[in-house]
Amino acid sequence: MTSSVDGLVSGLSTSSMISSLMQVEAVPQTKLKTKVATAQTAVTSYLSVNTKIKATKTAAESVGDLASWRSLKVASSSSTVTATATGGLGGMAGIAKFDVTSVARNQSTVLKLADTTAEQSLPATFDIQPGTWSPDADADGVDEFTPVGNPVTITVPEPRTAAKLTTAVNSAAMGIRAMVVNTSGNEGVIQFSGQKSGAANGFQISGLDGYGTGGANPTTTSAKDAVLTMNPDTESAYTVTSATNTFSALMPGVTLTVAKEEKGVTVDATTDTSAISGKFQALVDAANAALAEITSQTAYDIDTKTGSPLTGDFTVRQMKQTMLSQVSNGLSYTKSTTDSNGVATNTTVDFGSLSQLGISLTKEGTFAFSETDFNKAYLADPAKVQEAGIAFGAKMKDLSATQTKAVTGVITGRKSEIQTLTDQIENWDVRLAAKKVALQKQYTALETSLGSLKNQSSWLSGQLAGLG
């Protein structure tokens, strides 16, 4: 590596001179770096604007989504019947009146034992028959059991203890759990429990009769469906059943969960206008955030004569005016209808001022929304307001999509420019390094030459002095 020694012969600071010359040589590269920094700042500003516009698009999609207009709020007259709005396109306002005739339960069969820990006189095998339970038909106080499929034989290994029996049942993987429960000291029960509720998840055990305490048989609480009697005490009454205590298809967009038998329950599902107005408020807030970001990124301070990263960018500045015109110009949209012959017709609907939806412009050039005005208009004509609201949401979505596409295109172009400039800067690094080496060689050679001349001068001076 070539180096120079400051002032060894000449007394000059050659390293300082080289540094100064290199600064001059690096001026073009410095300008390139400045351009990169400026472009990177602009990209950051474009990304910030784009984020706000995308948020506006998302909010507009929600307003234009039919599911948003099917939002429901539900109320139950009973503390033991829970009603929950599930949302989606299937939601529909309405009232349901019913009696909770029964609630769903799992089957439970119990065999009482005098000693749950000792070896029992339990059978070597017994059968479990899957099946379905139906309500008592012959008034004997016992529900009716209908076998389904073939019984499963359970083998109890020696020594035939209660624990061995429950292990054998659980290993059969029939959806039945068996466990030993001590009730007092060693006295207790073997409990067989269905893992699923509902009449179709029943079972019947044969082969354990007489093996309980004092020769007792197993006792069974049958599995049962939840049953609702709709329109009770009327000629249009009917029943609805569920294997669980949840009913998800009784009312469109509403799920009901029952906890106990009860008469005269009413569930009322109404359109949730507050949820819909919340979607509009979210759109207005998102649009205002986008407008504020555009204003900030394109601002120019007259007093300080300083601009923002995107000052003078017409594409971004125009976005603000375009967004505001969506309200100032009113709303018109195309409506498609199909007649009885399947012929589609498109008509233009001139809805007019968006103040009919509670949307207006402020004197500061921002959006405003009045929930009171919206609710009033919606209650007066729900179909009209819904149609117009969905159309407005679609227009704002399309506008935002167009704007974000334009900004994304600019960002892509700027990033490509930055990459090109970065490549040029890297090339300059190579050129400057080579230039520095050349200057170091040049000044080293100069010092060497001056040193040689100095030596020759000293020799000549000595020779001349000898002649005198």
Side-chain angles (χ1 to χ4, degrees):
M1 178 175 178
T2 302
S3 62
S4 61
V5 181
D6 283 346
L8 183 63
V9 178
S10 66
L12 298 175
S13 178
T14 55
S15 61
S16 296
M17 294 176 65
I18 292 173
S19 177
S20 297
L21 290 171
M22 288 304 300
Q23 289 179 11
V24 174
E25 291 289 337
V27 168
Q29 186 192 49
T30 301
K31 290 181 178 180
L32 290 175
K33 290 179 178 179
T34 300
K35 287 184 178 181
V36 168
T38 301
Q40 288 174 333
T41 300
V43 167
T44 300
S45 296
Y46 282 122
L47 288 171
S48 182
V49 170
N50 214 19
T51 297
K52 302 297 184 182
I53 295 174
K54 287 180 177 179
T56 303
K57 178 177 177 288
T58 299
E61 286 177 337
S62 187
V63 169
D65 186 358
L66 180 59
S68 297
W69 296 83
R70 297 285 177 85
S71 297
L72 298 175
K73 58 182 178 180
V74 293
S76 171
S77 65
S78 170
S79 61
T80 63
V81 176
T82 303
T84 306
T86 56
L89 292 173
M92 188 176 300
I95 298 176
K97 296 181 179 180
F98 54 88
D99 292 341
V100 182
T101 307
S102 70
V103 294
R105 69 188 180 197
N106 303 53
Q107 178 172 334
S108 177
T109 297
V110 174
L111 179 66
K112 295 182 179 180
L113 300 176
D115 187 346
T116 61
T117 61
E119 182 178 346
Q120 307 290 325
S121 57
L122 295 172
T125 63
F126 63 95
D127 292 337
I128 300 179
Q129 171 66 60
T132 299
W133 291 97
S134 55
D136 179 16
D138 53 12
D140 63 354
V142 180
D143 289 342
E144 308 297 329
F145 181 79
T146 303
V148 176
N150 298 317
V152 176
T153 298
I154 304 297
T155 300
V156 184
E158 296 283 355
R160 294 197 289 274
T161 62
K164 293 279 189 178
L165 184 148
T166 58
T167 299
V169 172
N170 294 334
S171 298
M174 296 181 63
I176 300 170
R177 293 294 297 173
M179 67 180 69
V180 178
V181 180
N182 289 333
T183 57
S184 178
N186 289 336
E187 185 179 352
V189 302
I190 299 176
Q191 178 170 310
F192 305 85
S193 301
Q195 291 183 283
K196 293 183 179 180
S197 63
N201 296 306
F203 57 92
Q204 196 170 61
I205 299 176
S206 59
L208 289 181
D209 289 355
Y211 283 93
T213 301
N217 299 331
T219 58
T220 294
T221 300
S222 60
K224 184 183 290 188
D225 287 333
V227 180
L228 303 184
T229 301
M230 309 302 298
N231 309 317
D233 303 321
T234 67
E235 293 182 357
S236 59
Y238 61 95
T239 60
V240 180
T241 63
S242 173
T244 68
N245 287 317
T246 298
F247 295 81
S248 58
L250 183 65
M251 301 177 68
V254 178
T255 294
L256 302 179
T257 302
V258 300
K260 73 174 187 177
E261 296 179 5
E262 187 174 358
K263 291 183 177 294
V265 180
T266 299
V267 173
D268 189 5
T270 58
T271 300
D272 190 355
T273 56
S274 61
I276 301 172
S277 62
K279 302 290 186 181
F280 274 94
Q281 185 65 63
L283 173 56
V284 167
D285 291 343
N288 283 336
L291 291 172
E293 188 65 24
I294 291 172
T295 299
S296 173
Q297 296 294 348
T298 59
Y300 181 79
D301 191 322
I302 298 178
D303 296 331
T304 61
K305 294 182 173 55
T306 56
S308 300
L310 303 183
T311 298
D313 190 307
F314 178 78
T315 299
V316 176
R317 296 182 64 181
Q318 184 66 18
M319 288 179 181
K320 180 175 181 179
Q321 187 57 46
T322 304
M323 290 179 66
L324 294 174
S325 68
Q326 292 296 305
V327 175
S328 62
N329 293 340
L331 176 65
S332 62
Y333 57 92
T334 301
K335 178 180 179 181
S336 297
T337 56
T338 304
D339 61 22
S340 57
N341 295 321
V343 178
T345 303
N346 293 331
T347 57
T348 299
V349 177
D350 186 8
F351 181 75
S353 174
L354 283 165
S355 62
Q356 299 177 80
L357 297 179
I359 300 174
S360 60
L361 295 180
T362 67
K363 61 181 179 180
E364 291 80 16
T366 60
F367 291 91
F369 176 70
S370 170
E371 182 178 3
T372 300
D373 291 346
F374 172 81
N375 289 341
K376 182 179 179 181
Y378 185 82
L379 292 175
D381 194 341
K384 177 183 177 181
V385 171
Q386 174 180 316
E387 183 178 283
I390 290 176
F392 176 66
K395 282 184 173 292
M396 288 296 292
K397 171 191 170 183
D398 291 343
L399 173 62
S400 299
T402 299
Q403 290 180 335
T404 193
K405 182 178 180 180
V407 174
T408 299
V410 174
I411 291 172
T412 300
R414 284 300 183 95
K415 286 184 176 180
S416 177
E417 175 189 355
I418 290 172
Q419 185 58 54
T420 299
L421 293 173
T422 300
D423 291 342
Q424 294 178 22
I425 291 170
E426 291 176 352
N427 291 335
W428 266 100
D429 284 337
V430 175
R431 294 168 62 184
L432 290 172
K435 183 65 176 179
K436 186 175 182 179
V437 170
L439 288 172
Q440 288 174 336
K441 287 182 178 180
Q442 180 179 343
Y443 279 95
T444 298
L446 174 63
E447 289 294 328
T448 302
S449 297
L450 287 174
S452 177
L453 290 173
K454 185 176 180 180
N455 290 335
Q456 291 179 11
S457 175
S458 298
W459 181 82
L460 287 173
S461 295
Q463 292 296 321
L464 291 172
L467 292 174

